[in-house]
Amino acid sequence: MTGDASPQVTGDPLRPSVPGPADHPARSPATDRGGRTARGTPLSAPGRLLAVLAAFDHEHPALCLTDISRRAGLTLTTAHRLVGALTEWGALERDEDGAYHVGLRLWELAALAPRGLALRQAALPYLEDLYEATHENVQMAVRDGAEVVYIEWLSGRSAVGVRIQVGARWPLHATGVGLALLAHGDPAFQEAYCRGPLAAFTPHTISDGVRLRRELAEVRRTGVAVSSRQVTEDAVSVAAPVRRSGGAVVAAVSVVVPWPDGRVPALVPAVRLAARGISRALGWQPRPEPPARAGARAAVPPRPGPGS
C-alpha cells in the first residue's frame, strides 16, 4: 500500500484556506468608497452588511477593520459599526492580533444549503471509494452562475498538484466538472456562455466557442468530460454529472491524474460508477428500457455471406 492510502479529506470548514492561484484573482468588491453599488446606487442597510461579508475571500481570509472598510467600499465609521454587530452575532470572529475572520455562525447556516453539507454527506462514501481505486485527487463541484464551486476534495500526498480547495471557483469551461455541468445546463445559458469571453489559463484551455460547443456535445454523447491541461499543463481531469431525483444535474464528480497518464480510458467507468452511486443516493433512478412494441418481430441476425 502506498503512503497516500488514506485520503486527506479537505472539506473541513475549519481547515485554513490556501491562497488561490495568481491567474484566478479574487472578485473585485462590488462597491466604491461611497458605499454605492457598481451602478452608482446607494447600498441599502442589508447591502452594507453583505458588502462587509463579501470583503472576505480565499485570498483574504483575515482582514483588519481598515481593510474591511476599503474592500467593502464603506466609511471606517460605518464598517466599525457593522463589524461590531456581525461579531456580536457570531458571523465574524476576531483573533488575538485584532484581525477578523468569518465566524462559525455562518458555517452553521451554510451547512443548511441543500447543495452544501447534505450533498457532501451523501457523496462522501462514493468519493472515498473512487479515491481508494485511484489514489488521486477526487473532487466534487456544483455550478454557481458561470463558475464551478468545489464542495469536496480528497487528495493523496503523492497525487498531482491541483489549484483548488473547498470553496474555490473556476470558470466552467476550464475544468472537467465544469464541462460536465455546462453540458447539461439550460441550452440558452450554454449558448450565451459559448459566446464568451472564455478565459485561458494555459495554451490548451478551450477559448473558442465553436470548440466549446463541440466539447459539450461530446460530453452529452459519452456521459463524461475529459479536460486535459486546461488549468495546469501537468494534469488531466475525468468528470461525470451527478443527478437528483427527476434527473436534473446538480453536481459533478471528477478524478484528476498527471498528464500524460495511460489510465485515463480506464478511469471513465470508475468515475461514471461514482457519479451514478451518488445520484442514486439522491433519489435518481435510471430510465427503464422502453418495452418492445406489440407484434414487433425479433431481430434476425444477417445470413452468412458467400464463403463465410
Side-chain angles (χ1 to χ4, degrees):
M1 183 173 293
T2 62
D4 63 348
S6 298
Q8 300 173 16
V9 181
T10 59
D12 186 349
L14 302 182
R15 185 182 179 91
S17 300
V18 179
D23 55 4
H24 185 52
R27 295 176 173 181
S28 300
T31 57
D32 60 21
R33 284 291 298 165
R36 294 174 177 268
T37 68
R39 296 182 178 180
T41 56
L43 278 175
S44 63
R48 290 192 290 272
L49 275 172
L50 294 175
V52 170
L53 296 176
F56 297 86
D57 58 27
H58 280 286
E59 293 185 353
H60 304 87
L63 295 169
C64 67
L65 183 61
T66 301
D67 289 335
I68 295 173
S69 169
R70 175 180 55 82
R71 288 178 56 79
L74 301 171
T75 64
L76 192 60
T77 301
T78 300
H80 181 269
R81 176 171 53 83
L82 295 177
V83 166
L86 289 169
T87 302
E88 182 178 358
W89 186 76
L92 297 179
E93 296 176 356
R94 190 180 186 187
D95 63 24
E96 60 274 11
D97 297 323
Y100 291 91
H101 306 257
V102 172
L104 279 178
R105 190 75 179 272
L106 285 185
W107 176 73
E108 292 174 13
L109 289 177
L112 301 176
R115 295 195 298 167
L117 185 61
L119 180 55
R120 286 173 51 204
Q121 288 176 336
L124 193 56
Y126 303 94
L127 299 179
E128 290 175 337
D129 287 347
L130 184 56
Y131 171 82
E132 289 297 333
T134 63
H135 289 172
E136 298 288 355
N137 292 290
V138 172
Q139 307 165 346
M140 188 173 187
V142 297
R143 181 171 78 86
D144 185 25
E147 298 173 311
V148 296
V149 179
Y150 289 89
I151 64 171
E152 188 58 276
W153 171 38
L154 277 64
S155 177
R157 287 184 292 274
S158 62
V160 64
V162 292
R163 292 184 172 185
I164 70 107
Q165 65 269 346
V166 171
R169 293 172 175 265
W170 282 90
L172 289 168
H173 67 281
T175 65
V177 286
L179 290 172
L181 290 164
L182 181 57
H184 295 89
D186 179 75
F189 174 77
Q190 289 183 41
E191 183 56 32
Y193 191 99
C194 288
R195 288 197 294 267
L198 303 174
F201 305 98
T202 75
H204 308 284
T205 307
I206 300 172
S207 56
D208 173 72
V210 174
R211 179 187 168 196
L212 180 55
R213 292 183 185 93
R214 289 198 303 264
E215 292 286 342
L216 297 179
E218 184 68 6
V219 172
R220 289 187 292 270
R221 185 185 72 83
T222 63
V224 294
V226 178
S227 176
S228 180
R229 299 182 291 167
Q230 289 214 85
V231 174
T232 62
E233 298 202 46
D234 61 349
V236 56
S237 169
V238 180
V242 172
R243 301 177 185 274
R244 66 182 177 194
S245 59
V249 171
V250 294
V253 60
S254 72
V255 61
V256 182
V257 298
W259 184 92
D261 192 316
R263 294 177 299 163
V264 169
L267 291 173
V268 169
V271 175
R272 277 184 181 151
L273 184 63
R276 287 174 68 90
I278 299 168
S279 299
R280 287 179 181 274
L282 297 176
W284 171 81
Q285 293 293 331
R287 292 180 179 178
E289 293 293 329
R293 291 180 299 170
R297 296 177 60 186
V300 178
R303 294 180 180 179
S308 299

